[in-house]
């Protein structure tokens, strides 16, 4: 799966989280990884000083760690969600983990 690091991709990721009943907040804080997940409240807090590329990377990194009810997603978002979830897993067998960060998103 290939997409660009731009505002449209970020908006689509935000819509995916919204359909998954997760709130994204952009705030300042001391985040070692650039984000914090409050699972019981279903909130992801992302460092507001990150660039668009950094925000996209943080949201993609959070995605496998949260529980998403696939029945809540629209058909288009479900397809995109499955592609996002399966892309790194498929690459694990072909590449080492240092190559994963070079995926053309």
């Amino acid at each position: 799966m290939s997409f660009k690091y731009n505002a449209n991709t970020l908006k689509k990721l935000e819509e995916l989280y919204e359909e998954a009943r997760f709130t994204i907040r952009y705030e300042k804080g001391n985040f070692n990884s650039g984000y914090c997940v409050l699972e019981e409240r279903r909130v992801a807090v992302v460092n507001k000083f990150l660039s668009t590329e950094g925000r996209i990377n943080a949201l993609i990194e959070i995605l496998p760690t949260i529980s998403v009810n696939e029945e809540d997603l629209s058909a288009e978002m479900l397809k995109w969600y499955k592609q996002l979830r399966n892309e790194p897993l498929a690459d694990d067998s072909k590449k080492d983990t240092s190559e994963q960060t070079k995926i053309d998103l």
Side-chain angles (χ1 to χ4, degrees), residues 14 16-24 37-44 62 66-68:
E14 290 170 345
L16 174 65
Y17 276 79
E18 184 179 322
E19 285 190 21
R21 301 175 194 258
F22 235 85
T23 303
I24 300 172
V37 179
L38 307 170
E39 291 182 22
E40 290 188 19
R41 293 188 181 181
R42 301 190 62 81
V43 174
I62 293 169
I66 63 172
S67 61
V68 175

Side-chain angles (χ1 to χ4, degrees), residues 3-6 9-10 13 17 26 33-35 46 50-64 84 100-105:
F3 55 88
K4 297 181 181 182
Y5 285 97
N6 58 28
T9 302
L10 179 60
L13 271 170
Y17 276 79
Y26 298 104
S33 59
Y35 64 87
V46 178
L50 291 176
S51 64
T52 300
E53 181 178 344
R55 291 178 181 197
I56 291 170
N57 284 334
L59 292 174
I60 290 174
E61 194 173 322
I62 293 169
L63 201 55
L84 287 172
Q100 276 188 348
T101 59
K102 297 179 183 178
I103 294 173
D104 180 26
L105 300 174

